[in-house]
Amino acid sequence: MKAINEIKNFSAEFKQNWLQYLVLFTGISVLNQFVFIPFFRYITTFVLQKGAIPFVSLSNLEIILTKHPFVALALLIELAALLFVIYSQFALLILVIKNQFDLKESLIEYGQCLKHFRLGSLLLLAIYFLLIVPFANIVFRTPLLAKLKIPQFIVDYMTRDWILLTALVVFYVVIFILALRFLFTLPIMVLDKTTTREAMKKSASLMKKSWRKVLGFFITLEIIAILAMVINSVLAYLLQLLWDIFPRKLALILATINLSLFQVISELLLIWTSAISLLFLIKITTKEEKLPNASHNKAIVTPIMIIWIFAIIVNGVENVFYLTGIDDHAPVTISHRGVNDKNGVQNTIEALKKTAKFKPDYVEIDVHETKDNQFIIMHDENLKKLTGVDKESKYLTVKQLTQLTAKEDGHRGKVVSLDQYIKAAEKLKQKLLIEIKTTQHDSKNFVANFNKKYGQTILKNKYQVQSLDYTAVKKMHQLNSKIPVLYIQPYNLTYPRSAAAGYSMEYSTLSSDFIWQAHLQNHVVYAWTVNNTAEMKKMMYEHVDGLITDDVAKLNTTIEDFEGRKSYAERLLNYMTAFPILD
């Protein structure tokens, strides 16, 4: 009850100064989208290009650190600058709200904060920002912090085994406790003008006394925000059901207004949530019951309102394209490891035959080199998980490997060579997306041998190739430029610049900006591994060219649902599904 009263009081303050809050959060959002994010992406791209490094990934991190020290140093400096920008944004947000939008006074106090800022604080700040990401999504949603998350494929992997799942749960619990313990670190640094280390100590002491109050407040606020979004969604949908009764052209106009209004209200709700959260943090930190009256700055308000009007108009045009289906783009459907909803053992012909019935555009498979320089279909370097044999495929011949039986999800299937798999795929007229899996034990001519043996077959059958190893991607492109070769990335830090024909990106870290940049270069973008209906629709809305999934049947249904010639109400519902409440 006390939390609700506090939210009411803060809401009254927000209502009184809603325009200033709109200016503040919109201004920071615009700076992030059009200044900071492009700047850091371009700098990263420039640094890596100067070092002749295509991307930063786990496969080349050791090489960057050992053989490209200047590139590593430049990236560390850039990371430090990014942390400082994030710190500055949060600091200014807190100060501007505390000083009730007196920009001059806030800048003076920010200067005082910098006197206590030490370079050594950057490491502690990095840890702090990693910890508060769960709370940051409630307090202030910024794309600069959005990248600090565990990619979904790691979470998916860890949920497949109870030991790993337990470790993941324990990890999240520990992170949550630490995040709660040090939640007030940044507000204390800014408001009390202390160092990071001192602020962490004070935050721990403060939270020890008030953790129940803090948790109660944020849980209540989140529930209220979700309920408000649910009401917004239901009203928009019901209203559109009514508008769809009118003639088609009038219904489209009303649908565009309805969707645009839904988006504006959703954005205002997010700003309200952020403002209420920051007001609460400031109150707890300063112990002030009431903030001074707000000041008004028409010189800043006017351009921000212009930006909002421009954004609404542009969004309205995009909404027309979406509602009419003009920009609909059916993605390529790709079965991950040749299975559909656990219908067989991955990478086996038995599963391929079952999956081909769902008519995926491609079946994705994994290829390893064998002891006799042949090629076997297997995802893991070690065979133990599927076959029980604790050896790597590189140390067995193709004949030895094809005598093994793999077991998974209650199914059995023979381990097969690439020759056998291609033969079966040709009979089924099923196209393949072949992933080249490289290891440190591969022969020097691995890629050349692969191209020599299968290059013409790949071209004839219109197959595609991909790899997590950029060296293999580049080599394959040099040997046979006609074959579409995609570069696999578990996350992206730069703009797309490479010899690849496209990119296969982990979906939870894939951004619409990256997709747009890739399309400007006529490069395709596939998203993996997308098994959730909402995420499938989100990726389609952001115009990915292909979706790699473990459930082709669900993907086919989702595409049909997303692109069907349906009422505007159903298109609106699709949008809400693609962008879930407070996602």
Side-chain angles (χ1 to χ4, degrees):
M1 192 66 181
K2 192 173 182 181
I4 293 176
N5 289 332
E6 284 188 316
I7 291 171
K8 283 182 180 179
N9 294 333
F10 291 140
S11 296
E13 199 281 331
F14 177 83
K15 182 180 178 182
Q16 183 180 355
N17 302 297
W18 69 271
L19 190 57
Q20 283 88 338
Y21 283 107
L22 183 65
V23 169
L24 178 61
F25 286 98
T26 301
I28 289 178
S29 179
V30 168
L31 282 172
N32 282 334
Q33 291 291 349
F34 299 103
V35 178
F36 292 119
I37 291 176
F39 173 77
F40 283 113
R41 280 189 177 274
Y42 276 118
I43 289 296
T44 303
T45 304
F46 174 79
V47 168
L48 293 177
Q49 284 182 334
K50 288 298 180 182
I53 301 167
F55 292 96
V56 176
S57 68
L58 293 175
S59 61
N60 70 351
L61 189 59
E62 183 181 352
I63 296 173
I64 292 174
L65 292 173
T66 57
K67 296 186 178 180
H68 301 275
F70 291 108
V71 171
L73 178 61
L75 292 176
L76 283 174
I77 293 172
E78 185 187 355
L79 177 60
L82 176 62
L83 289 171
F84 182 75
V85 168
I86 296 174
Y87 161 78
S88 298
Q89 288 188 3
F90 274 89
L92 287 171
L93 269 173
I94 291 168
L95 288 171
V96 170
I97 292 175
K98 193 267 289 187
N99 293 317
Q100 285 291 271
F101 308 98
D102 187 330
L103 188 59
K104 183 178 179 181
E105 180 63 26
S106 300
L107 289 173
I108 291 173
E109 284 198 49
Y110 175 68
Q112 294 171 353
C113 290
L114 293 183
K115 292 180 181 179
H116 296 273
F117 191 85
R118 303 288 183 269
L119 287 176
S121 297
L122 288 173
L123 179 59
L124 289 175
L125 277 176
I127 297 170
Y128 169 73
F129 286 130
L130 284 169
L131 290 174
I132 66 152
V133 165
F135 285 101
N137 283 332
I138 301 174
V139 176
F140 175 49
R141 295 167 188 271
T142 167
L144 289 175
L145 273 181
K147 294 295 182 184
L148 300 177
K149 62 180 180 181
I150 301 174
Q152 189 60 38
F153 77 96
I154 295 177
V155 176
D156 291 341
Y157 174 77
M158 295 192 72
T159 56
R160 294 173 186 173
D161 181 270
W162 73 269
I163 297 176
L164 293 176
L165 177 59
T166 302
L168 183 64
V169 170
V170 171
F171 171 77
Y172 275 125
V173 169
V174 171
I175 288 294
F176 180 79
I177 293 171
L178 291 174
L180 189 63
R181 181 182 177 87
F182 298 118
L183 180 63
F184 290 101
T185 298
L186 189 54
I188 291 171
M189 282 179 67
V190 173
L191 297 172
D192 291 353
K193 316 296 185 297
T194 64
T195 64
T196 308
R197 193 181 299 275
E198 291 171 349
M200 281 184 161
K201 291 180 181 178
K202 288 185 178 181
S203 176
S205 176
L206 180 60
M207 191 58 74
K208 190 176 181 180
K209 303 172 185 176
S210 54
W211 68 269
R212 290 183 182 87
K213 181 179 181 179
V214 172
L215 269 183
F217 178 85
F218 280 115
I219 290 172
T220 304
L221 179 62
E222 188 75 354
I223 290 171
I224 292 173
I226 290 174
L227 287 174
M229 285 296 291
V230 168
I231 293 170
N232 183 32
S233 302
V234 171
L235 287 178
Y237 177 67
L238 293 177
L239 196 60
Q240 194 56 51
L241 287 174
L242 176 63
W243 296 153
D244 282 350
I245 298 173
F246 294 104
R248 190 74 175 170
K249 289 185 179 179
L250 179 58
L252 174 60
I253 294 172
L254 294 172
T256 304
I257 295 171
N258 196 14
L259 180 53
S260 299
L261 189 60
F262 168 80
Q263 292 165 335
V264 169
I265 293 173
S266 299
E267 189 62 31
L268 288 174
L269 279 170
L270 290 175
I271 291 174
W272 171 81
T273 305
S274 298
I276 300 301
S277 300
L278 287 170
L279 284 167
F280 175 74
L281 292 177
I282 292 168
K283 178 185 174 182
I284 295 292
T285 306
T286 61
K287 297 182 175 60
E288 291 183 9
E289 290 298 322
K290 188 173 178 60
L291 296 173
N293 293 326
S295 61
H296 300 269
N297 192 332
K298 293 182 180 180
I300 297 177
V301 170
T302 302
I304 294 297
M305 293 308 297
I306 292 172
I307 289 172
W308 261 77
I309 293 169
F310 177 75
I312 290 171
I313 292 172
V314 171
N315 224 48
V317 174
E318 291 180 350
N319 289 341
V320 171
F321 288 158
Y322 167 68
L323 290 165
T324 56
I326 292 174
D327 62 346
D328 279 356
H329 173 65
V332 169
T333 59
I334 306 164
S335 166
H336 186 224
R337 304 185 193 176
V339 298
N340 175 72
D341 194 22
K342 300 181 180 180
N343 64 347
V345 183
Q346 59 179 279
N347 288 314
T348 62
I349 293 174
E350 290 85 351
L352 169 67
K353 290 177 179 178
K354 296 176 184 177
T355 301
K357 294 176 183 178
F358 296 95
K359 302 186 183 303
D361 293 304
Y362 291 92
V363 161
E364 184 263 350
I365 57 174
D366 307 282
V367 174
H368 274 283
E369 189 180 38
T370 65
K371 183 179 180 179
D372 49 350
N373 298 328
Q374 298 302 307
F375 303 92
I376 199 75
I377 309 296
M378 182 63 63
H379 178 271
D380 294 349
E381 187 176 351
N382 192 288
L383 303 162
K384 186 175 181 179
K385 183 178 178 181
L386 293 180
T387 68
V389 177
D390 190 11
K391 290 186 178 180
E392 296 174 8
S393 55
K394 180 60 185 174
Y395 298 109
L396 296 174
T397 65
V398 71
K399 184 177 180 180
Q400 291 171 319
L401 287 162
T402 52
Q403 290 175 349
L404 300 176
T405 299
K407 301 175 184 178
E408 186 179 38
D409 296 321
H411 301 280
R412 298 166 64 91
K414 296 294 292 184
V415 175
V416 294
S417 67
L418 182 54
D419 288 331
Q420 293 171 315
Y421 202 94
I422 288 177
K423 186 177 179 180
E426 287 178 332
K427 284 183 179 180
L428 295 167
K429 296 182 180 179
Q430 175 63 61
K431 289 193 288 187
L432 303 177
L433 171 60
I434 304 171
E435 179 179 343
I436 298 175
K437 308 285 285 188
T438 61
T439 72
Q440 59 182 347
H441 308 298
D442 294 328
S443 64
K444 292 182 179 179
N445 298 320
F446 175 17
V447 177
N449 291 338
F450 175 84
N451 176 65
K452 183 179 180 180
K453 188 169 184 179
Y454 299 106
Q456 292 304 312
T457 302
I458 290 170
L459 286 172
K460 182 187 73 174
N461 294 326
K462 297 182 179 179
Y463 294 169
Q464 294 183 355
V465 176
Q466 63 177 4
S467 182
L468 188 63
D469 184 347
Y470 185 72
T471 303
V473 171
K474 190 174 181 181
K475 183 68 175 177
M476 193 68 193
H477 177 73
Q478 291 171 343
L479 292 169
N480 201 333
S481 60
K482 293 181 180 180
I483 294 177
V485 186
L486 283 68
Y487 179 46
I488 304 172
Q489 289 183 267
Y491 43 78
N492 71 91
L493 301 171
T494 66
Y495 285 122
R497 300 282 190 278
S498 75
Y503 306 91
S504 187
M505 302 288 300
E506 199 279 328
Y507 80 88
S508 68
T509 59
L510 179 58
S511 66
S512 56
D513 188 35
F514 184 93
I515 297 169
W516 175 66
Q517 288 280 345
H519 286 170
L520 287 178
Q521 300 175 52
N522 295 317
H523 290 168
V524 298
V525 179
Y526 294 168
W528 58 270
T529 303
V530 193
N531 297 322
N532 178 276
T533 299
E535 293 298 341
M536 289 174 181
K537 289 185 176 181
K538 184 176 181 181
M539 291 294 102
M540 283 187 274
Y541 187 86
E542 294 183 344
H543 303 114
V544 295
D545 302 284
L547 289 172
I548 301 174
T549 181
D550 293 314
D551 197 333
V552 179
K554 181 189 288 186
L555 178 56
N556 288 339
T557 302
T558 304
I559 292 173
E560 184 180 346
D561 181 54
F562 190 82
E563 295 203 313
R565 292 184 175 274
K566 300 181 177 183
S567 66
Y568 294 130
E570 289 173 307
R571 300 286 284 185
L572 184 64
L573 194 60
N574 262 338
Y575 177 87
M576 294 172 183
T577 306
F579 296 91
I581 296 167
L582 294 181
D583 179 41

